[in-house]
Amino acid sequence: MKIGYSRISTDDQNLHLQKDALAKAGCEKFFDDVISGSKSKRPGLDGLIEFARESDIIVVWRLDRLGRSMKDLINLVSTLEDKGIQIISLNESIDTSTGTGKLFFHIFGAIAEFERNLIVERTQAGLAAARARGRKGGRPKSLNKAKRELAVKLYHEKEKTVKEVCDVMGISKPTLYKYIEESAL
């Protein structure tokens, strides 16, 4: 049986392109995830691995949908091969049931990992350059300094519950606790 697996990283994206290609490739069953490939727990992939049986073929749109590092991809493919399950990647035209397919799997996997590493390096360099120009990243504080101090004061006075302090200040509990921690420094 051909089983399709698709993954997107954020809710902003959609799975249509991948699912259409998998259906066209003859997949009869589908598993998908809306989660970063760097996460070790992916419910769709975990379900796929549990579902797949010997002689099944897992079809993906691209290798990077399966994992973010070459090590993870190799471990996954080894685990699947031990169970008698093969992988086909449509974009890279890789079929791990052949020796050539296995070779191409390793080559393309290494290239995909290299590309991801370049993206990370460029992002980090851009952030460092922005910091050097005085730009500070991250979400701005939801309250100015005086209001943060007031929130901490209300918390320490213990006349209101944490929920009441949060409601009055218009912030979440984690935000309040972050302000409390910052004030203790």
Side-chain angles (χ1 to χ4, degrees):
M1 170 189 286
K2 283 188 175 180
I3 307 165
Y5 175 71
S6 53
R7 181 185 60 77
I8 53 175
S9 299
T10 66
D11 289 326
D12 302 8
Q13 302 166 332
N14 68 59
L15 294 164
H16 301 313
L17 172 70
Q18 294 177 51
K19 284 191 169 186
D20 290 348
L22 297 174
K24 188 175 179 181
C27 293
E28 303 168 45
K29 180 103 175 126
F30 299 88
F31 290 84
D32 55 68
D33 281 313
V34 179
I35 193 167
S36 171
S38 64
K39 302 293 182 194
S40 59
K41 292 291 180 194
R42 290 181 272 162
L45 183 59
D46 294 343
L48 166 66
I49 293 168
E50 188 176 317
F51 177 84
R53 300 290 177 251
E54 186 174 347
S55 78
D56 283 345
I57 300 168
I58 295 174
V59 183
V60 294
W61 184 63
R62 284 179 47 152
L63 278 181
D64 66 355
R65 302 297 83 200
L66 282 176
R68 299 288 278 194
S69 73
M70 190 62 199
K71 180 182 172 191
D72 290 342
L73 281 171
I74 290 170
N75 288 340
L76 178 61
V77 170
S78 289
T79 299
L80 294 172
E81 283 180 344
D82 290 346
K83 293 173 75 174
I85 301 165
Q86 301 303 317
I87 294 179
I88 292 177
S89 174
L90 300 176
N91 262 13
E92 293 94 355
S93 299
I94 293 173
D95 180 347
T96 61
S97 67
T98 68
T100 305
K102 286 180 187 177
L103 171 66
F104 281 127
F105 163 76
H106 288 282
I107 291 170
F108 280 107
I111 291 169
E113 183 175 11
F114 174 70
E115 182 180 5
R116 280 189 300 278
N117 289 338
L118 285 178
I119 290 168
V120 168
E121 287 174 13
R122 284 193 301 261
T123 301
Q124 289 174 344
L127 290 171
R131 280 191 294 274
R133 290 190 312 272
R135 300 222 6 142
K136 190 175 177 184
R139 179 182 286 184
K141 304 260 186 217
S142 55
L143 301 178
N144 64 31
K145 187 174 186 204
K147 288 182 181 176
R148 290 194 306 267
E149 289 171 356
L150 176 60
V152 172
K153 180 181 173 197
L154 289 172
Y155 172 81
H156 287 302
E157 287 175 350
K158 299 183 190 247
E159 291 179 16
K160 296 189 180 299
T161 66
V162 170
K163 183 177 179 348
E164 289 172 333
V165 172
C166 292
D167 289 344
V168 166
M169 301 306 294
I171 57 175
S172 67
K173 287 180 186 179
T175 300
L176 174 61
Y177 290 125
K178 184 175 71 175
Y179 292 159
I180 294 164
E181 186 180 312
E182 289 172 357
S183 73
L185 297 177

